[in-house]
Amino acid sequence: MAIEVVKVELKNVQDASGMEAAIKKGQFSADEVIAVIGKTEGNGGVNDFTRILADQAFRGVLKRLGKRSEAEIAKIPMVWSGGCDGIITPHATVFARNAKTGPANKSRLAIGTAMSAEILPEDIGRPAMVEKVAEGVRAAMRDAGIDDPKDVHYVQTKTPLLTVDSVLDAHKRGKDTFCEVHESMGVSNGTTGLGIAVGLREIGMPKAEDICRNLDLYSSVASCSSGVELTQAQIVLLGNKAGAGGRYRIGHSVMKDALDIDGIYESIRNAGLELPARPRAEDLKGRVVNCFMKCEADRTGQLRGRRQIMLDDSDVPWHRHAKAAVGGVAAAAIGDPAVFVSVDAMHQGPQGGGPCIAIIDAGE
């Protein structure tokens, strides 16, 4: 079952015309779409409703142009990351699965999806959430037909965060929560990163006291987002599989810090594209479909020995600084500002850096 991949621009927060055009052009059918990963132009915070608006627009096109029921469409993972700070262009990467197959000696992109068990408000930041996410990752591997975790190069998730209502619900049931509402986005992302690492056997099961504290524990392929729009972990797992068919391959590396452009190029090499020792955007020859990366402000307040003010700025939150900076580095690397950059990278790549994933067109 081959995977088709297309990146489309969002002209506004409710625009799904790019995906609609690809469907009408015959690139794939509405009923073949299995996942969407996108950037919206909101504030990237708890109250970023641009994620919900984009989600509704894309599901609306699939309902209008396809034959699947509303309930079936509702189950399609659509992971929306809010905030296009700096030069990042709002966009979505659409994944579709068709009936084509390929030679057994060629490894190509395969995708699996899964929904975890329900994540309760008291699970966030605790081992219960790690275990639920890990089991969901294993289910997504089975769905992709990938046996070896080393063939997995990207796990994108969307998980719940805390709201005032969910905290009150936990209290009514005699439960407490790990953190406050505004801390919960980073905590949810970090706990999920550990769940991915456990599911892929990158690490063993962490102790409760290590969650969101021991930053030496991380996944090199995790990209975790969270929001108010769901109560389970939506999991989209991507890797390479022999005989999968299609044109696309995926690879990964890590950015050691916000300036690590070599980490971006290494992910592209890992996907299978040959590059010179010191590559530039023109060396990619248009064969990079998209890059996906996580980032955060270095907690030491330093970047390559120089003082940074991201964590001290009372006017602009640090995540907007970091996203804009890494978005600029990534756009320069691939020559395209439509790059997926998400913040809150706790337990996702090394502290101060983050995972970087590349999807390339490997040809027929």
Side-chain angles (χ1 to χ4, degrees):
M1 302 291 286
I3 300 298
E4 183 69 28
V5 190
V6 63
K7 181 166 66 176
V8 299
E9 185 176 328
L10 272 63
K11 296 182 176 65
N12 58 64
V13 294
Q14 293 179 287
D15 174 48
S17 62
M19 182 177 72
E20 182 170 348
I23 292 169
K24 290 182 175 178
K25 195 165 58 177
Q27 202 161 348
F28 47 81
S29 74
D31 293 334
E32 289 175 336
V33 173
I34 59 168
V36 177
I37 300 173
K39 289 293 301 180
T40 66
E41 60 202 76
N43 60 26
V46 174
N47 64 337
D48 184 352
F49 301 109
T50 65
R51 298 183 298 238
I52 297 174
L53 294 171
D55 191 270
Q56 291 173 340
F58 274 68
R59 293 186 197 276
V61 168
L62 297 184
K63 182 180 179 182
R64 180 160 49 84
L65 299 183
K67 298 178 180 178
R68 286 183 285 192
S69 68
E70 191 167 337
E72 289 173 316
I73 292 171
K75 293 179 181 178
I76 298 170
M78 293 192 183
V79 180
W80 299 100
S81 172
C84 288
D85 303 276
I87 61 172
I88 298 172
T89 297
H91 70 280
T93 305
V94 182
F95 300 88
R97 181 184 285 143
N98 58 43
K100 298 176 183 177
T101 57
N105 64 340
K106 285 191 176 182
S107 184
R108 292 291 186 267
L109 178 65
I111 295 180
T113 62
M115 297 288 283
S116 76
E118 184 176 3
I119 295 172
L120 302 173
E122 61 266 28
D123 293 339
I124 296 172
R126 294 183 170 133
M129 184 173 180
V130 175
E131 291 169 348
K132 289 177 180 180
V133 170
E135 185 50 46
V137 168
R138 296 181 194 110
M141 278 185 66
R142 291 192 293 271
D143 186 56
I146 295 175
D147 299 319
D148 189 346
K150 292 180 181 178
D151 291 326
V152 176
H153 294 277
Y154 182 22
V155 182
Q156 176 67 60
T157 60
K158 191 77 176 187
T159 51
L161 45 70
L162 295 177
T163 64
V164 172
D165 287 341
S166 67
V167 171
L168 290 175
D169 173 67
H171 291 168
K172 286 177 183 177
R173 292 182 286 104
K175 306 292 184 181
D176 68 339
T177 55
F178 181 86
C179 63
E180 299 298 326
V181 169
H182 285 284
E183 295 177 85
S184 67
M185 178 174 287
V187 169
S188 180
N189 292 352
T191 312
T192 304
L194 290 177
I196 293 167
V198 170
L200 297 178
R201 301 201 296 270
E202 294 177 278
I203 63 170
M205 183 66 191
K207 299 175 183 177
E209 57 267 29
D210 285 332
I211 298 173
C212 300
R213 294 185 179 93
N214 183 357
L215 301 183
D216 290 333
L217 300 177
Y218 62 82
S219 170
S220 295
V221 299
S223 178
C224 309
S225 293
S226 52
V228 298
E229 60 266 40
L230 71 174
T231 59
Q232 299 165 277
Q234 282 186 343
I235 300 166
V236 183
L237 179 144
L238 297 87
N240 295 316
K241 177 185 173 185
R247 302 176 57 89
Y248 304 96
R249 278 184 55 84
I250 188 168
H252 80 277
S253 184
V254 295
M255 292 180 72
K256 298 181 180 69
D257 60 31
L259 292 177
D260 188 12
I261 196 169
D262 291 330
I264 298 173
Y265 287 128
E266 188 54 39
S267 72
I268 296 168
R269 286 192 185 94
N270 188 248
L273 196 61
E274 292 187 9
L275 296 175
R278 299 300 299 170
R280 296 172 64 88
E282 51 264 35
D283 297 316
L284 307 180
K285 303 186 187 305
R287 291 177 61 188
V288 173
V289 179
N290 207 358
C291 282
F292 307 81
M293 57 210 69
K294 293 292 290 188
C295 66
E296 62 178 4
D298 194 307
R299 291 165 189 248
T300 67
Q302 297 281 315
L303 178 58
R304 301 196 181 182
R306 295 291 192 181
R307 185 171 73 91
Q308 299 288 287
I309 56 86
M310 294 185 199
L311 298 172
D312 297 319
D313 193 337
S314 299
D315 297 311
V316 180
W318 69 262
H319 61 83
R320 309 203 77 156
H321 282 286
K323 199 183 305 175
V326 174
V329 173
I334 71 170
D336 184 356
V339 288
F340 186 94
V341 181
S342 177
V343 291
D344 277 326
M346 190 190 308
H347 297 308
Q348 301 150 73
Q351 197 282 123
C356 180
I357 296 95
I359 296 176
I360 67 162
D361 185 339
E364 297 292 352

Coordinates of all heavy atoms in Angstrom, one line a residue, residues 55-108:
D55 N -8.9 22.1 11.3 CA -9.4 20.7 11.4 C -10.8 20.6 10.7 O -11.0 19.6 9.9 CB -9.4 20.3 12.8 CG -9.6 18.8 13.0 OD1 -10.8 18.3 13.1 OD2 -8.6 18.1 13.1
Q56 N -11.7 21.4 11.1 CA -13.0 21.4 10.5 C -13.0 21.6 9.0 O -13.8 20.9 8.3 CB -13.9 22.5 11.2 CG -14.2 22.2 12.6 CD -14.9 23.4 13.3 OE1 -14.9 24.5 12.8 NE2 -15.6 23.1 14.4
A57 N -12.2 22.5 8.5 CA -12.1 22.7 7.1 C -11.6 21.5 6.3 O -12.2 21.1 5.3 CB -11.2 23.9 6.8
F58 N -10.6 20.9 6.8 CA -10.0 19.7 6.1 C -11.0 18.5 6.2 O -11.2 17.8 5.2 CB -8.7 19.3 6.6 CG -7.5 20.1 6.0 CD1 -7.4 21.5 6.2 CD2 -6.6 19.5 5.1 CE1 -6.4 22.2 5.6 CE2 -5.6 20.2 4.5 CZ -5.5 21.6 4.8
R59 N -11.6 18.3 7.3 CA -12.6 17.2 7.4 C -13.8 17.5 6.6 O -14.4 16.5 6.0 CB -12.9 17.0 8.9 CG -11.8 16.4 9.7 CD -12.2 16.1 11.1 NE -11.0 16.0 12.0 CZ -10.3 14.9 12.1 NH1 -10.6 13.8 11.4 NH2 -9.2 14.9 12.9
G60 N -14.2 18.7 6.4 CA -15.3 19.1 5.6 C -15.1 18.8 4.2 O -16.0 18.3 3.5
V61 N -13.9 19.0 3.6 CA -13.6 18.6 2.2 C -13.6 17.1 2.0 O -14.2 16.6 1.0 CB -12.2 19.2 1.9 CG1 -11.7 18.6 0.5 CG2 -12.2 20.7 1.7
L62 N -13.1 16.4 3.0 CA -13.1 14.9 2.9 C -14.6 14.4 2.9 O -14.9 13.4 2.2 CB -12.3 14.2 4.0 CG -10.8 14.6 4.0 CD1 -10.2 13.8 5.1 CD2 -10.2 14.2 2.7
K63 N -15.4 15.0 3.7 CA -16.8 14.6 3.7 C -17.5 14.9 2.4 O -18.3 14.1 1.9 CB -17.5 15.3 4.9 CG -19.0 14.9 5.0 CD -19.6 15.5 6.2 CE -21.1 15.2 6.4 NZ -21.8 15.8 7.5
R64 N -17.3 16.1 1.9 CA -17.9 16.6 0.7 C -17.5 15.9 -0.6 O -18.3 15.6 -1.5 CB -17.7 18.1 0.5 CG -18.3 18.8 -0.7 CD -18.4 20.3 -0.5 NE -17.2 20.9 -0.1 CZ -16.2 21.2 -0.9 NH1 -16.3 21.0 -2.2 NH2 -15.1 21.8 -0.4
L65 N -16.2 15.5 -0.6 CA -15.7 14.9 -1.9 C -15.5 13.4 -1.8 O -15.2 12.7 -2.8 CB -14.3 15.5 -2.2 CG -14.3 17.0 -2.5 CD1 -12.9 17.4 -2.9 CD2 -15.3 17.4 -3.6
G66 N -15.8 12.8 -0.6 CA -15.6 11.3 -0.4 C -16.9 10.6 -0.1 O -17.9 11.2 0.0
K67 N -16.7 9.3 0.2 CA -17.9 8.5 0.5 C -17.8 8.0 2.0 O -18.8 7.3 2.4 CB -17.9 7.3 -0.4 CG -18.1 7.7 -1.9 CD -18.1 6.4 -2.8 CE -18.2 6.8 -4.2 NZ -18.2 5.6 -5.1
R68 N -16.8 8.4 2.7 CA -16.7 7.9 4.1 C -17.8 8.7 5.0 O -18.1 9.8 4.7 CB -15.3 8.1 4.7 CG -14.3 7.1 4.1 CD -13.0 7.2 4.7 NE -12.2 8.4 4.2 CZ -10.9 8.6 4.4 NH1 -10.2 7.7 5.1 NH2 -10.3 9.7 3.9
S69 N -18.2 8.0 6.0 CA -19.2 8.6 6.9 C -18.5 9.7 7.8 O -17.2 9.7 7.9 CB -19.8 7.5 7.8 OG -18.8 7.0 8.7
E70 N -19.3 10.5 8.4 CA -18.7 11.5 9.3 C -17.9 10.9 10.5 O -16.9 11.4 10.9 CB -19.9 12.4 9.9 CG -19.4 13.6 10.6 CD -20.5 14.6 10.8 OE1 -21.5 14.6 10.1 OE2 -20.3 15.5 11.7
A71 N -18.4 9.7 11.0 CA -17.8 9.0 12.1 C -16.4 8.5 11.6 O -15.4 8.5 12.4 CB -18.6 7.9 12.6
E72 N -16.3 8.0 10.4 CA -15.1 7.5 9.9 C -14.1 8.6 9.7 O -12.9 8.5 10.0 CB -15.3 6.8 8.5 CG -16.0 5.4 8.7 CD -16.4 4.8 7.3 OE1 -16.9 5.6 6.4 OE2 -16.2 3.6 7.1
I73 N -14.5 9.7 9.1 CA -13.7 10.9 8.9 C -13.2 11.5 10.2 O -12.0 11.9 10.4 CB -14.4 12.0 8.1 CG1 -14.7 11.5 6.7 CG2 -13.6 13.3 8.1 CD1 -15.6 12.3 5.8
A74 N -14.0 11.4 11.3 CA -13.6 11.9 12.6 C -12.4 11.1 13.2 O -11.7 11.7 14.0 CB -14.8 11.9 13.5
K75 N -12.2 9.9 12.7 CA -11.2 9.1 13.3 C -9.8 9.3 12.6 O -8.8 8.8 13.0 CB -11.5 7.6 13.2 CG -12.7 7.2 14.1 CD -13.0 5.7 13.9 CE -14.2 5.3 14.8 NZ -14.6 3.9 14.6
I76 N -9.8 10.1 11.5 CA -8.6 10.3 10.7 C -7.7 11.2 11.6 O -8.1 12.3 12.0 CB -8.8 11.0 9.4 CG1 -9.7 10.0 8.5 CG2 -7.5 11.3 8.7 CD1 -10.2 10.7 7.2
P77 N -6.5 10.8 11.9 CA -5.6 11.7 12.7 C -5.2 13.0 11.9 O -4.8 12.9 10.8 CB -4.3 10.9 12.9 CG -4.7 9.5 12.7 CD -5.8 9.6 11.6
M78 N -5.5 14.1 12.5 CA -5.1 15.4 11.9 C -4.4 16.2 13.0 O -5.1 16.6 14.0 CB -6.3 16.2 11.4 CG -7.0 15.6 10.2 SD -8.1 16.7 9.3 CE -8.7 15.6 8.0
V79 N -3.2 16.3 12.9 CA -2.3 17.0 14.0 C -2.0 18.4 13.6 O -1.3 18.6 12.6 CB -1.1 16.2 14.2 CG1 -0.2 16.8 15.3 CG2 -1.4 14.7 14.6
W80 N -2.6 19.3 14.3 CA -2.4 20.8 14.0 C -1.5 21.4 15.0 O -1.9 21.4 16.2 CB -3.7 21.5 13.8 CG -4.6 20.9 12.8 CD1 -5.6 20.0 12.9 CD2 -4.5 21.2 11.4 NE1 -6.1 19.7 11.6 CE2 -5.5 20.4 10.7 CE3 -3.6 22.0 10.6 CZ2 -5.6 20.4 9.3 CZ3 -3.8 22.0 9.2 CH2 -4.8 21.2 8.6
S81 N -0.5 22.0 14.6 CA 0.4 22.8 15.5 C 0.2 24.2 15.3 O 0.4 24.7 14.2 CB 1.9 22.4 15.3 OG 2.8 23.2 16.0
G82 N -0.2 25.0 16.3 CA -0.4 26.4 16.2 C 0.8 27.3 16.3 O 1.7 26.9 17.0
G83 N 0.8 28.3 15.6 CA 1.9 29.3 15.6 C 2.8 29.3 14.5 O 3.6 28.4 14.3
C84 N 2.8 30.3 13.6 CA 3.7 30.5 12.5 C 4.5 31.7 12.7 O 4.5 32.6 11.8 CB 2.9 30.5 11.2 SG 2.1 29.0 10.7
D85 N 5.3 31.7 13.8 CA 6.1 32.9 14.1 C 7.2 33.1 13.1 O 7.7 32.1 12.5 CB 6.7 32.7 15.5 CG 5.6 32.5 16.5 OD1 5.0 33.5 17.0 OD2 5.2 31.3 16.8
G86 N 7.7 34.3 13.0 CA 8.7 34.6 12.0 C 8.2 34.4 10.6 O 7.2 35.0 10.2
I87 N 9.0 33.6 9.8 CA 8.7 33.5 8.4 C 8.0 32.2 8.1 O 7.8 31.8 6.9 CB 10.0 33.6 7.6 CG1 11.0 32.5 7.9 CG2 10.6 35.0 7.7 CD1 12.2 32.4 7.0
I88 N 7.6 31.4 9.1 CA 6.9 30.1 8.8 C 5.6 30.3 8.1 O 4.8 31.1 8.5 CB 6.7 29.3 10.1 CG1 8.0 29.0 10.8 CG2 5.9 28.0 9.8 CD1 7.9 28.4 12.2
T89 N 5.4 29.6 7.0 CA 4.1 29.7 6.2 C 3.1 28.7 6.7 O 3.5 27.5 6.9 CB 4.4 29.4 4.8 OG1 5.3 30.4 4.2 CG2 3.1 29.4 3.9
P90 N 1.9 29.1 7.0 CA 0.8 28.1 7.4 C 0.7 27.1 6.2 O 0.5 27.5 5.1 CB -0.4 29.0 7.5 CG 0.1 30.3 7.8 CD 1.4 30.5 7.0
H91 N 0.7 25.8 6.6 CA 0.6 24.8 5.6 C 0.2 23.5 6.2 O 0.1 23.3 7.4 CB 2.0 24.6 4.9 CG 3.0 24.0 5.8 ND1 3.7 24.7 6.7 CD2 3.4 22.7 5.9 CE1 4.5 23.9 7.4 NE2 4.4 22.7 6.9
A92 N -0.1 22.5 5.3 CA -0.4 21.1 5.8 C 0.3 20.1 4.9 O 0.4 20.3 3.7 CB -1.9 20.9 5.8
T93 N 0.7 19.0 5.5 CA 1.2 17.9 4.7 C 0.2 16.8 4.8 O -0.2 16.4 5.9 CB 2.6 17.4 5.3 OG1 3.5 18.5 5.3 CG2 3.1 16.3 4.4
V94 N -0.3 16.4 3.6 CA -1.4 15.5 3.5 C -0.9 14.1 3.1 O -0.1 14.0 2.1 CB -2.5 15.9 2.5 CG1 -3.7 14.9 2.5 CG2 -3.0 17.3 2.9
F95 N -1.3 13.1 3.8 CA -0.8 11.7 3.5 C -2.0 10.9 3.0 O -3.1 10.9 3.7 CB -0.2 11.1 4.7 CG 1.0 11.8 5.3 CD1 0.8 12.8 6.2 CD2 2.3 11.5 4.8 CE1 1.9 13.5 6.7 CE2 3.4 12.2 5.3 CZ 3.2 13.2 6.2
A96 N -1.8 10.2 1.9 CA -2.9 9.3 1.4 C -2.3 8.0 1.1 O -1.1 7.8 0.7 CB -3.5 9.9 0.1
R97 N -3.1 6.9 1.2 CA -2.7 5.6 0.9 C -3.5 5.0 -0.2 O -4.7 5.0 -0.3 CB -2.9 4.7 2.2 CG -2.4 3.3 2.1 CD -2.8 2.5 3.3 NE -1.9 2.8 4.4 CZ -2.3 2.8 5.7 NH1 -3.6 2.6 6.0 NH2 -1.4 3.1 6.6
N98 N -2.7 4.5 -1.2 CA -3.4 3.9 -2.4 C -3.0 2.4 -2.5 O -2.3 1.8 -1.6 CB -3.0 4.6 -3.7 CG -1.5 4.6 -3.9 OD1 -0.8 3.6 -3.7 ND2 -1.0 5.8 -4.3
A99 N -3.5 1.7 -3.5 CA -3.3 0.3 -3.6 C -2.0 -0.2 -4.3 O -1.8 -1.4 -4.5 CB -4.5 -0.3 -4.4
K100 N -1.2 0.8 -4.7 CA 0.1 0.4 -5.4 C 1.1 -0.3 -4.5 O 1.1 0.0 -3.3 CB 0.7 1.7 -6.0 CG -0.1 2.4 -7.0 CD 0.5 3.7 -7.4 CE -0.3 4.5 -8.4 NZ 0.3 5.8 -8.8
T101 N 1.8 -1.2 -5.0 CA 2.9 -1.8 -4.3 C 4.2 -1.6 -5.0 O 4.2 -1.1 -6.2 CB 2.7 -3.3 -4.1 OG1 2.5 -3.9 -5.4 CG2 1.4 -3.6 -3.3
G102 N 5.3 -2.0 -4.4 CA 6.6 -1.8 -5.1 C 7.5 -3.0 -4.9 O 7.2 -3.9 -4.2
P103 N 8.7 -2.9 -5.5 CA 9.7 -4.0 -5.4 C 10.1 -4.3 -4.0 O 10.2 -3.4 -3.2 CB 10.9 -3.6 -6.3 CG 10.3 -2.4 -7.1 CD 9.2 -1.8 -6.3
A104 N 10.3 -5.6 -3.6 CA 10.6 -5.9 -2.3 C 12.0 -5.4 -1.9 O 12.3 -5.3 -0.7 CB 10.6 -7.5 -2.1
N105 N 12.8 -5.1 -2.9 CA 14.2 -4.7 -2.5 C 14.3 -3.1 -2.4 O 15.4 -2.6 -2.1 CB 15.2 -5.1 -3.6 CG 14.9 -4.5 -5.0 OD1 13.8 -4.0 -5.2 ND2 15.9 -4.5 -5.8
K106 N 13.1 -2.4 -2.5 CA 13.1 -1.0 -2.3 C 12.3 -0.6 -1.1 O 11.2 -1.0 -1.0 CB 12.6 -0.3 -3.6 CG 13.6 -0.3 -4.7 CD 13.1 0.6 -5.8 CE 14.1 0.7 -7.0 NZ 13.6 1.7 -8.0
S107 N 12.9 0.1 -0.2 CA 12.3 0.6 1.0 C 11.7 2.0 0.8 O 12.4 2.9 0.4 CB 13.3 0.6 2.2 OG 12.7 0.9 3.4
R108 N 10.4 2.1 1.1 CA 9.7 3.3 0.9 C 8.8 3.6 2.1 O 8.6 2.8 3.0 CB 8.8 3.3 -0.4 CG 9.6 3.2 -1.7 CD 10.4 4.5 -1.9 NE 11.1 4.5 -3.2 CZ 12.3 4.2 -3.4 NH1 13.1 3.8 -2.4 NH2 12.9 4.3 -4.6

